[in-house]
Amino acid sequence: MKTLIEQIDPNTITALLLRQGAWLLQQQPACAPHDLTAMQDTFERCSGTVLQQLEMALSSHWPEIPFSHAEFDPEQQIKPEHPVYWICDPIDGAVQFLSGLPLWTLTLCLVIDAKPVMAFVYDPVAHAMYHALAGQGAFCNGRHLQVRHRDQLSLAVLGTSFPNYPQRPQSEIDEFLRLLSKVIPQVFAQRWMGPSSLSLAQLAEGKLDGYWETGRSLYDWLPGILIAQEAGAICSDIKGEKLDWSSDGILFASPIIHSMLSTILMK
């Protein structure tokens, strides 16, 4: 008898995401709407439509797997209602999407017993479909992915992000800037390029050597986490310790770079 994950056809999901990504690309504004209300309306219309379409389609194929809507509820994330569920972010990188910029994604992740087991990160602008299955590797448009095994931190190119939202606590801003000031002098380049899902996929692809971020955005990180792990990246929290649902921050990198970065970030 097939296991649940064996019953799920990645090609079916890929086709669904390609269709919805193409629609989002058609809906993307050429530049940002004129005020906050207009931006919110555009975002909610686009993301809401895609989420509804994906929920309907996936439920028709696998009705036993519900969708989680706990992106902004850490308590429910730690204690989910179901052992198996989908996590979907229709527009990861909303600021870029609304501004007519690239570097935004459509993501989907299957979680079983608190672990990501199937993940998709689609970049519609670049027509790049990243996906991974637990224990079976990571891929982009069918091409097998492997992290870049650089051994010199001074040549490393890193990604990071610090999502903006109103009234962000000053203590969080200060901590991010403190860590950023430690990393920048030690590496070849530190870049801030769109959402974590895309940067983690680019790490898996060998375009970045590492990625770190502060905060507790595990729902945002999960799709990219599986893709990066399956490509050989070492994962931990920001202090180099085991990553779990209560972790603060993430640090992903190729093995040697991870060791070097964790030492710097722990100081």
Side-chain angles (χ1 to χ4, degrees):
M1 185 175 181
K2 288 185 177 181
T3 64
L4 176 60
I5 195 167
E6 289 174 335
Q7 298 173 37
I8 300 174
D9 179 17
N11 293 324
T12 299
I13 297 176
T14 295
L16 292 171
L17 296 179
L18 287 171
R19 189 177 308 123
Q20 295 304 318
W23 183 83
L24 282 172
L25 198 56
Q26 292 177 338
Q27 302 301 311
Q28 185 180 16
C31 58
H34 62 282
D35 61 28
L36 183 59
T37 299
M39 285 191 283
Q40 289 175 332
D41 289 345
T42 300
F43 176 77
E44 290 173 4
R45 175 180 62 84
C46 292
S47 64
T49 298
V50 169
L51 186 60
Q52 182 183 48
Q53 292 295 316
L54 287 175
E55 282 200 58
M56 290 175 56
L58 291 173
S59 294
S60 69
H61 287 288
W62 303 285
E64 69 275 26
I65 306 177
F67 266 65
S68 172
H69 298 280
E71 181 178 1
F72 304 108
D73 188 346
E75 293 293 328
Q76 189 175 335
Q77 291 177 21
I78 294 173
K79 298 178 180 179
E81 297 181 69
H82 308 280
V84 181
Y85 54 91
W86 296 107
I87 293 172
C88 179
D89 192 340
I91 306 174
D92 191 15
V95 172
Q96 292 88 266
F97 177 82
L98 292 170
S99 300
L101 294 168
L103 304 178
W104 54 273
T105 63
L106 164 57
T107 71
L108 182 71
C109 184
L110 179 65
V111 179
I112 299 180
D113 295 330
K115 295 181 180 180
V117 297
M118 179 180 291
F120 299 82
V121 173
Y122 181 44
D123 177 354
V125 177
H127 304 291
M129 177 69 73
Y130 302 90
H131 84 278
L133 300 175
Q136 298 183 41
F139 305 85
C140 179
N141 296 342
R143 175 172 50 87
H144 187 263
L145 302 181
Q146 180 66 45
V147 296
R148 180 167 59 191
H149 289 280
R150 198 185 293 282
D151 60 3
Q152 297 182 59
L153 191 60
S154 60
L155 295 177
V157 179
L158 308 182
T160 190
S161 181
F162 188 73
N164 296 314
Y165 57 80
Q167 300 178 338
R168 186 92 185 219
Q170 186 63 44
S171 59
E172 293 184 16
I173 298 172
D174 292 342
E175 176 63 7
F176 173 76
L177 294 177
R178 183 184 72 83
L179 296 176
L180 188 65
S181 69
K182 289 177 174 291
V183 172
I184 287 177
Q186 304 295 327
V187 300
F188 183 69
Q190 172 70 75
R191 293 292 180 262
W192 187 338
M193 303 182 295
S196 59
S197 60
L198 184 56
S199 288
L200 287 168
Q202 290 169 333
L203 167 62
E205 198 171 14
K207 293 180 177 179
L208 296 175
D209 297 294
Y211 181 85
W212 63 276
E213 185 178 339
T214 57
R216 297 178 182 271
S217 302
L218 200 59
Y219 261 38
D220 288 337
W221 298 333
L222 278 176
I225 281 176
L226 182 62
I227 292 170
Q229 282 181 318
E230 287 295 317
I234 303 298
C235 70
S236 69
D237 68 8
I238 198 71
K239 296 179 180 178
E241 299 173 357
K242 183 180 178 180
L243 185 65
D244 58 33
W245 285 88
S246 60
S247 293
D248 185 4
I250 56 170
L251 171 59
F252 273 70
S254 55
I256 295 176
I257 297 298
H258 184 277
S259 177
M260 296 175 178
L261 281 174
S262 61
T263 299
I264 292 171
L265 292 170
M266 281 191 295
K267 291 180 180 179

